[in-house]
Amino acid sequence: MTAQVIDGKAFSAKIREKVASDVTALQDKHGIKPGLAVVIVGEDAASTIYVNSKIKQTSEAGMESFHFALPDTISEADLVAKVHELNADDRVNGILVQLPLPKHIHESAVIEAIAPEKDVDGFHVINSGLLATGGKGMVPCTPLGCLLMLKDTLGDLSGMKAVVIGRSNIVGKPMAQLLLQENCTVTLAHSRTRDLAGEVKQADIVVAAVGVSELVKGDWIKKGATVIDVGMNRIPAPERGEGKVRLTGDVAYDEAAQNAAYITPVPGGVGPMTIACLLRNTVTAACRQAGLDDNDL
Ligand code: GUN
């Protein structure tokens, strides 16, 4: 039996449809048009692709999109000043500064400059603190997308054993918090974990977010487990032509699909969900800033 594929592309399209209808309702009932500002520093190829996709989908959802492409020579102080300007701009409900930033800029200084209520990435310490303590903050987009797929696929996650591989602030740590909130028993594994295979073998839910191509082998996956692959590794693919790359996940997909009940593909799994959740977070931010509940739209 091979696993059922969790179609992130189709699921994210449904989320974007709901976002678009919420945007229409916000405009019709309250005269509000949510706005998202995306800031990119420098010309990293992968970041440019992501940012262009974010900008396009923001407009397609009927929201206002503001785009700032700044040179990689910009100082930390000038970038922080730009963020302060966006904090004060009422047309802007959400602010996203694409990471990574050039080495001379402290990412934490820029993230902490964003007004927490406009931090649609959910990276500000106030938002990570609210997530850790069960409060109502902004939740990071990629782990939120993973959780929505898990709940859509499995329903109630209570009591399940979940292993999250990778302890980044962007994915691993918030993912572990979200699964804990859903009453999973959570193991947060990382590069120093002694017996990673042994940990994964016990898991009903595996979320791999380490950035190592096909690290998780098929025989690590328990029969009937659900596998969410956050990996986006660009591997040289000379068979496709000179300089060409292939996108792989952190899980050896073909092998893992022999044991898993459900699995996300790469591409077409987690990737499209991240942007859909960014749009969702922007609507949530706009509602909260206007004193509205986004569940009432
Ligand atoms: N770089 C890679 N992923 C992300 C993300 O989700 N948000 C931002 N701001 N930068 C990223």
Side-chain angles (χ1 to χ4, degrees):
M1 257 278 285
T2 61
Q4 206 169 313
V5 176
I6 302 175
D7 186 345
K9 208 170 154 187
F11 191 29
S12 69
K14 273 203 268 179
I15 293 175
R16 280 183 280 122
E17 258 174 48
K18 172 73 167 72
V19 167
S21 81
D22 283 354
V23 169
T24 304
L26 261 179
Q27 186 126 48
D28 292 351
K29 292 190 203 161
H30 304 283
I32 295 169
K33 185 168 188 179
L36 173 66
V38 176
V39 179
I40 182 168
V41 180
E43 287 172 0
D44 178 75
S47 289
T48 303
I49 294 171
Y50 293 144
V51 162
N52 287 340
S53 205
K54 288 170 186 176
I55 292 165
K56 179 166 171 272
Q57 293 187 32
T58 304
S59 303
E60 282 171 2
M63 293 192 273
E64 204 70 68
S65 174
F66 306 92
H67 179 208
F68 303 92
L70 305 173
D72 61 6
T73 50
I74 192 171
S75 69
E76 185 177 301
D78 285 352
L79 183 55
V80 165
K82 182 76 212 173
V83 169
H84 286 157
E85 186 188 310
L86 296 171
N87 285 342
D89 189 334
D90 288 341
R91 298 168 305 163
V92 174
N93 302 107
I95 301 170
L96 180 144
V97 179
Q98 186 67 21
L99 304 178
L101 291 170
K103 290 207 168 34
H104 67 278
I105 297 175
H106 296 96
E107 286 184 352
S108 60
V110 178
I111 292 167
E112 304 324 330
I114 299 172
E117 66 276 14
K118 293 192 178 185
D119 169 36
V120 283
D121 261 328
F123 295 164
H124 193 290
V125 283
I126 293 274
N127 286 317
S128 44
L130 285 168
L131 180 60
T133 53
K136 210 171 155 200
M138 301 301 305
V139 177
C141 308
T142 300
L144 179 58
C146 295
L147 184 72
L148 293 177
M149 288 195 287
L150 283 167
K151 288 173 75 165
D152 186 63
T153 305
L154 299 172
D156 184 8
L157 309 182
S158 276
M160 292 188 179
K161 274 184 185 293
V163 170
V164 178
I165 313 170
R167 54 176 152 178
S168 71
N169 290 337
I170 296 185
V171 186
K173 283 184 212 163
M175 187 75 245
Q177 295 289 2
L178 287 170
L179 290 165
L180 195 55
Q181 236 166 54
E182 297 298 324
N183 305 310
C184 290
T185 301
V186 181
T187 299
L188 186 44
H190 47 78
S191 55
R192 308 284 177 90
T193 294
R194 211 166 280 157
D195 178 14
L196 185 58
E199 297 291 347
V200 172
K201 279 178 187 174
Q202 296 180 41
D204 304 304
I205 294 169
V206 181
V207 180
V210 264
V212 178
S213 179
E214 301 182 346
L215 172 79
V216 177
K217 307 301 174 211
D219 64 357
W220 298 7
I221 303 297
K222 186 167 88 169
K223 276 263 178 255
T226 298
V227 178
I228 307 289
D229 191 347
V230 185
M232 285 254 222
N233 309 295
R234 286 180 172 75
I235 302 295
E239 73 279 5
R240 294 185 179 181
E242 202 183 307
K244 294 284 183 201
V245 294
R246 185 167 64 90
L247 202 61
T248 68
D250 291 347
V251 178
Y253 181 90
D254 291 345
E255 299 170 21
Q258 299 304 309
N259 286 331
Y262 303 98
I263 188 166
T264 61
V266 177
V270 175
M273 290 296 289
T274 297
I275 302 187
C277 289
L278 172 68
L279 304 178
R280 173 82 262 151
N281 276 353
T282 305
V283 171
T284 300
C287 288
R288 289 182 187 166
Q289 286 158 37
L292 303 167
D293 184 337
D294 64 339
N295 293 318
D296 296 339
L297 289 175

